[in-house]
């Protein structure tokens, strides 16, 4: 962390001292651990041993290069090489950006995981440089190592990404946030807009540390806070760190920021010692900017909690299965229709927001045959809205049945199917009733039925006249059928199949469908009824069968009954009316 002027640091220390209750060095028991949030369960557990192994490497680098990793030094250059080699081996796109305006010319390391939308970026950063006084292991090998191990875990897990994740290790932070300023100033306005949040990690393993979050009440801070809250830590605002680390460079550019810290030279209050343990009225990091900032100057518990909190944030913000992303569905009603040459038909395309927030959905269609056009009004909707789809056929349109794919395009692509039948003619409708002998009063023709189905038995009265079709009612295993071939005229505006159905049963269950009646047109099942649909008297049932305009199809009723307790399916007054 960059040191502020002595005067500012002194004011901070005095303010904290005045606000503190009487000091106590006795740690108290931690609060009971709360249940982790849902996204935390999905995030991996980052190995603190692996994080400490990176710290050991930074210690070794400092020891071999004059005892420090200050920007511009051989120790800093070696630190850059170590981080870069790990990231490249893991599959990251790694860029070294030379900070030409830094006091000590050196490189920022920028690593991007090459998945997720490039214009929707969550960025995590830490300064890689230390001060000349020592190896800089807590300040800031801790933040650098936490991010490095999280980057490697992300690559190893290789989950589906909803956002692009970018990591950065900064040069020249200790000289005034120089590397991060240089990077932010190098971005275009559009590139700055792509970064939806920047998270900074500076000194996250202070031995007498507290649990601090930059802009703790902000929306950006929410995932970081959620994780530490799940551990019962009750994190506080990072007052000491305001304006003193690389998040400030992004904040000044209007990019939302947050981050973890465990404190530098400011002193822990007695209230904080009671809450978190440690020593009241002592510095959070007693080795801040000193030669003793070595691997012995690390709070392993805090380091682990910081590493896992970063993983939680990555998975919550950018990995599929975290916070729900914006998504939607598309449906078409009716799902089928007929149109004659020279005519048109309409259907309603409905959308719904299935997760996240509403979004704009552009509508289109494919699969239309030659001479058929499809349009939408409006051509795009906000998910949750609907549009009218119009299918128009020219006088020379291809005849037959086709499947149209209706596509909604937004953050994802969603589709629905519409079955279109194109018939000959110019749209004129001959109309009328096309079912023969629908009241069953003229014998059995043109019906084909199981023997005894068409009957005038008084045991089940007809709705009108004397005859009806009575399927099943035997109280034993049986299958009865009733069918008729019908030609559906083309060019009409409506096509309605209707019939009256009475269901009488001796079954007592209210949950199990033992006996069933299936109604079909062609190969399509329009409805299935059972003993659960029993009712006194006849009930009118009707269906739109416009999908079969211009076709000859079979209308069929099939009744099945199990081995005991009768169910009667009684049908009368069947019509298929075109108009």
């Amino acid at each position: 962390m960059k040191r502020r002027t002595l005067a500012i640091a002194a004011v901070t220390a005095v303010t904290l001292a005045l606000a503190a209750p009487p000091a106590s060095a006795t740690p108290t028991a931690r609060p009971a651990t709360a249940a982790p949030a849902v996204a935390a369960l999905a995030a991996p557990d980052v190995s603190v041993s692996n994080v400490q192994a990176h710290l050991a490497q930074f210690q070794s680098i400092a020891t071999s290069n004059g005892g420090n990793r200050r920007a511009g030094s051989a120790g800093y250059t070696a630190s850059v090489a170590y981080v870069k080699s790990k990231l490249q081996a893991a599959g990251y796109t790694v860029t070294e950006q030379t900070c030409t305006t830094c006091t000590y010319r050196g490189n920022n390391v920028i690593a991007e995981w090459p998945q997720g939308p490039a214009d929707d970026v969550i960025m995590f950063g830490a300064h890689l440089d230390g001060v000349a006084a020592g190896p800089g292991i807590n300040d800031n090998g801790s933040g650098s190592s936490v991010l490095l191990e999280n980057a490697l875990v992300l690559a190893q897990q290789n989950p589906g990404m909803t956002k692009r994740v970018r990591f950065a290790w900064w040069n020249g932070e200790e000289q005034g946030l120089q590397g991060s300023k240089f990077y932010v100033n190098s971005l275009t306005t559009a590139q700055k807009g792509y970064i939806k949040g920047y998270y900074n990690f500076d000194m996250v393993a202070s031995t007498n540390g507290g649990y601090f979050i930059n802009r703790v009440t902000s929306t950006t801070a929410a995932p970081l806070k959620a994780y530490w809250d799940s551990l019962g830590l009750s994190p506080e605002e990072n007052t000491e760190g305001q304006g003193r680390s690389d998040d400030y460079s992004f904040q000044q550019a209007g990019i939302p920021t947050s981050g973890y810290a465990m404190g530098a030279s400011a002193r822990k209050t007695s209230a904080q010692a009671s809450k978190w343990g440690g020593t009241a009225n002592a510095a959070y990091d007693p080795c801040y900017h000193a030669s003793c900032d070595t691997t012995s100057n690390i709070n392993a518990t805090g380091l682990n909690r910081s590493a896992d909190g970063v993983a939680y944030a990555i998975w919550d913000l950018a990995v599929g299965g975290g916070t729900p992303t914006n998504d939607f569905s598309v449906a078409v009603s009716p799902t089928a229709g007929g149109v004659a040459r020279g005519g048109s038909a309409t259907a309603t395309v409905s959308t719904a927001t299935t997760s996240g927030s509403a979004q704009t959905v552009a509508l289109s269609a494919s699969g239309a045959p030659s001479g058929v056009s499809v349009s939408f009004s409006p051509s795009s909707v906000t998910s949750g809205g609907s549009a009218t789809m119009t299918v128009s056929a020219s006088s020379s349109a291809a005849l037959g049945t086709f499947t149209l794919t209706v596509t909604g395009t937004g953050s994802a692509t969603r589709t629905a199917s519409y079955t279109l039948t194109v018939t000959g003619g110019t749209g004129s409708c001959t109309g009328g009733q096309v079912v023969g002998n629908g009241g069953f009063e003229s014998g059995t023709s043109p019906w084909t039925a199981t023997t005894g189905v068409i009957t005038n038995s008084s045991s089940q009265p007809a709705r009108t006249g004397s005859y009806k079709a009575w399927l099943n009612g035997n109280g034993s295993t049986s299958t009865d059928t009733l069918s008729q071939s019908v030609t559906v005229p083309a060019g009409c505006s409506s096509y309605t199949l209707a019939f009256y159905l009475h269901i009488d049963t001796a079954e007592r269950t209210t949950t199990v469908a033992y006996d069933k009646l299936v109604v079909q047109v062609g190969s399509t099942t329009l409805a299935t009824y059972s003993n659960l649909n029993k009712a006194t008297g006849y009930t009118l049932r009707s269906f739109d069968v416009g999908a079969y305009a211009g076709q000859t199809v079979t209308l069929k009723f099939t009744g099945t009954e199990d081995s005991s307790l009768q169910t009667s399916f009684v049908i009368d007054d069947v019509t298929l009316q075109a108009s």
Side-chain angles (χ1 to χ4, degrees):
M1 177 184 289
K2 177 178 74 72
R3 185 189 296 276
R4 265 185 165 172
T5 64
L6 181 61
I8 294 176
V11 169
T12 301
V14 170
T15 302
L16 290 171
L18 290 174
S24 171
T26 304
T28 59
R30 295 289 191 272
T33 301
V38 172
L41 299 177
D45 180 17
V46 177
S47 167
V48 70
S49 296
N50 290 350
V51 179
Q52 289 173 310
H54 299 312
L55 291 175
Q57 288 295 321
F58 289 135
Q59 175 72 64
S60 177
I61 287 169
T63 301
S64 301
N65 290 281
N68 69 74
R69 298 183 306 104
R70 189 209 71 190
S73 70
Y76 180 77
T77 300
S79 297
V80 168
Y82 173 74
V83 171
K84 182 180 180 181
S85 65
K86 289 288 185 181
L87 294 166
Q88 286 182 321
Y92 279 81
T93 302
V94 184
T95 303
E96 285 191 57
Q97 181 191 46
T98 302
C99 179
T100 58
T101 59
C102 289
T103 300
Y104 301 107
R105 188 183 179 100
N107 293 347
N108 296 323
V109 180
I110 313 297
E112 190 147 310
W113 187 239
Q115 293 187 31
D119 60 352
D120 198 0
V121 177
I122 303 296
M123 192 166 182
F124 299 82
H127 73 88
L128 187 55
D129 64 315
V131 295
I137 299 304
N138 185 42
D139 184 18
N140 183 40
S142 62
S144 294
S145 296
V146 159
L147 289 195
L148 178 57
E149 186 58 23
N150 264 279
L152 300 181
V153 168
L154 179 63
Q156 181 184 40
Q157 297 271 329
N158 193 24
M161 306 299 294
T162 60
K163 289 183 171 60
R164 183 70 60 95
V165 173
R166 183 180 301 160
F167 295 94
W169 289 262
W170 306 117
N171 179 62
E173 188 270 359
E174 298 289 1
Q175 288 72 48
L177 322 180
Q178 292 176 347
S180 57
K181 285 180 184 177
F182 182 85
Y183 173 81
V184 171
N185 288 339
S186 73
L187 300 176
T188 65
T189 300
Q191 289 169 335
K192 292 174 186 176
Y194 295 162
I195 303 174
K196 309 308 180 185
Y198 171 80
Y199 293 86
N200 196 68
F201 302 91
D202 193 350
M203 302 182 67
V204 294
S206 304
T207 54
N208 191 43
Y211 293 91
F212 304 107
I213 297 178
N214 305 340
R215 302 173 68 240
V216 67
T217 60
S218 67
T219 300
T220 309
L224 298 183
K225 185 175 185 298
Y227 185 75
W228 275 1
D229 280 347
S230 78
L231 302 179
L233 297 175
S234 300
E236 298 177 3
E237 178 61 41
N238 183 19
T239 304
E240 182 190 25
Q242 288 178 3
R244 294 180 60 184
S245 196
D246 296 296
D247 56 303
Y248 188 69
S249 300
F250 289 81
Q251 183 182 334
Q252 290 297 100
I255 296 169
T257 64
S258 188
Y260 282 153
M262 291 190 69
S265 60
R267 296 178 180 273
K268 178 175 281 187
T269 67
S270 59
Q272 291 169 342
S274 296
K275 178 166 62 171
W276 296 320
T279 304
N281 202 36
Y284 299 119
D285 180 3
C287 291
Y288 176 61
H289 283 188
S291 60
C292 60
D293 187 10
T294 66
T295 50
S296 298
N297 186 46
I298 289 294
N299 175 344
T301 299
L303 186 72
N304 188 36
R305 289 168 170 172
S306 298
D308 287 341
V310 173
Y312 177 96
I314 293 171
W315 256 251
D316 183 67
L317 293 167
V319 173
T323 300
T325 55
N326 298 339
D327 203 354
F328 62 94
S329 62
V330 174
V332 182
S333 179
T335 58
V339 60
R341 283 176 169 174
S344 63
T346 61
T348 300
V349 179
S350 301
T351 64
T353 301
T354 57
S355 66
S357 302
Q359 60 182 289
T360 300
V361 178
L363 300 173
S364 60
S366 59
S370 174
V372 172
S373 62
V374 183
S375 62
F376 299 88
S377 181
S379 59
S380 64
V381 298
T382 300
S383 54
S386 60
T388 298
M389 179 178 74
T390 300
V391 181
S392 302
S394 70
S395 59
S396 59
L399 301 177
T401 299
F402 309 91
T403 298
L404 305 186
T405 300
V406 178
T407 300
T409 304
S411 61
T413 299
R414 301 290 177 252
T415 62
S417 295
Y418 178 82
T419 301
L420 171 68
T421 299
V422 181
T423 60
T426 58
S428 60
C429 174
T430 56
Q433 151 72 304
V434 299
V435 171
N437 191 21
F440 307 104
E441 301 299 322
S442 302
T444 59
S445 180
W447 294 100
T448 299
T450 302
T451 301
V453 163
I454 298 176
T455 177
N456 63 351
S457 170
S458 60
S459 297
Q460 288 289 351
R463 175 181 174 271
T464 59
S466 301
Y467 286 82
K468 69 279 171 180
W470 179 1
L471 287 76
N472 307 113
N474 302 303
S476 60
T477 302
S478 63
T479 298
D480 286 341
T481 61
L482 172 73
S483 64
Q484 180 179 147
S485 177
V486 295
T487 299
V488 184
C492 299
S493 59
S494 67
Y495 299 86
T496 303
L497 169 68
F499 57 89
Y500 286 85
L501 174 64
H502 168 56
I503 301 176
D504 174 82
T505 185
E507 300 283 3
R508 300 181 183 89
T509 179
T510 58
T511 58
V512 181
Y514 288 115
D515 311 315
K516 299 179 182 179
L517 175 72
V518 176
V519 184
Q520 294 174 287
V521 172
S523 60
T524 301
T525 297
L526 298 180
T528 300
Y529 305 100
S530 74
N531 50 281
L532 301 178
N533 302 114
K534 65 180 180 180
T536 301
Y538 285 86
T539 301
L540 176 65
R541 310 289 184 175
S542 61
F543 306 89
D544 180 356
V545 291
Y548 303 97
Q551 300 180 55
T552 298
V553 293
T554 298
L555 169 62
K556 185 176 184 181
F557 301 85
T558 303
T560 56
E561 193 173 17
D562 72 349
S563 60
S564 64
L565 300 178
Q566 73 86 24
T567 299
S568 297
F569 300 102
V570 189
I571 301 166
D572 205 354
D573 299 324
V574 183
T575 60
L576 198 165
Q577 187 73 38
S579 60

